[in-house]
Amino acid sequence: MKCPYCGYKESKVIDSRPAEEGSSIRRRRECLSCTKRFTTYETVESLPMVVIKKDGSRQSFDKRKVLGGMIRACEKRPVPLEVLELKTDEIEQTLQNSLEREISTEYIGELVMEKLRTLDEVAYVRFASVYRQFKDIDTFMKELNKLLAEK
């Protein structure tokens, strides 16, 4: 690590501790040339993800949009916000682990429905009805029958 005071390229770590709820590490360093101390932060590099929408347009992935959709589906349901945030983090981690930089909204929607199915059946059906754009009562009933058959 290059010293911000003298530019020397060697330093030693004096102290390390977790920062930002464990998502980064704070390190106190001492320059081996001028002996001044400075702080650095180490974080995991996250690669940007691009979402390909149904109309073919592209935009950067926003975890808040996923969370917002899940909150709307769970409105007036006994699902705590903390659980939804955890499931959103799991979805984001799944997407990061896939190493794909371009992700379709269809794939994201399927991941959300998978998480909602295990959390709350009503929220799942709400989300699925919007996501799959149920045109009539028959398609809605088919989805409900699939859900009942899984039980």
Side-chain angles (χ1 to χ4, degrees):
M1 182 63 63
K2 188 175 173 183
C3 174
Y5 302 106
C6 70
Y8 191 68
K9 293 187 182 190
E10 298 290 325
S11 64
K12 67 179 178 180
V13 176
I14 298 168
D15 180 45
S16 288
R17 62 181 66 182
E20 298 174 25
E21 297 177 4
S23 62
S24 67
I25 297 174
R26 178 184 183 270
R27 298 196 194 279
R28 286 294 293 161
R29 296 178 175 269
E30 183 178 294
C31 176
L32 295 177
S33 176
C34 69
T35 66
K36 289 195 178 184
R37 294 182 176 188
F38 56 98
T39 302
T40 61
Y41 291 90
E42 181 179 315
T43 59
V44 174
E45 180 180 25
S46 62
L47 299 171
M49 291 183 287
V50 175
V51 176
I52 303 170
K53 299 178 82 171
K54 288 181 183 176
D55 66 0
S57 65
R58 287 168 160 71
Q59 68 182 71
S60 36
F61 175 76
D62 186 357
K63 183 170 77 169
R64 294 176 305 203
K65 286 187 175 185
V66 174
L67 180 60
M70 292 177 80
I71 289 171
R72 278 190 301 280
C74 292
E75 207 167 282
K76 297 182 183 177
R77 300 296 304 156
V79 181
L81 181 60
E82 296 81 32
V83 173
L84 294 177
E85 289 171 338
L86 177 70
K87 296 299 179 184
T88 304
D89 289 342
E90 289 174 8
I91 290 169
E92 182 181 35
Q93 192 62 50
T94 300
L95 296 173
Q96 287 283 350
N97 290 346
S98 74
L99 301 178
E100 295 292 325
R101 296 302 107 213
E102 291 190 346
I103 300 136
S104 69
T105 53
E106 288 84 11
Y107 182 60
I108 295 170
E110 293 297 326
L111 291 175
V112 170
M113 286 194 301
E114 184 181 303
K115 299 294 182 187
L116 287 176
R117 182 181 288 131
T118 61
L119 280 180
D120 187 274
E121 292 173 343
V122 173
Y124 163 74
V125 172
R126 283 180 182 168
F127 187 87
S129 69
V130 173
Y131 172 72
R132 293 211 170 120
Q133 299 175 342
F134 294 159
K135 302 284 188 245
D136 54 29
I137 195 72
D138 291 331
T139 54
F140 192 76
M141 286 305 296
K142 284 178 190 173
E143 192 66 34
L144 287 176
N145 288 333
K146 271 200 299 188
L147 195 60
L148 289 171
E150 289 175 6
K151 281 188 159 187

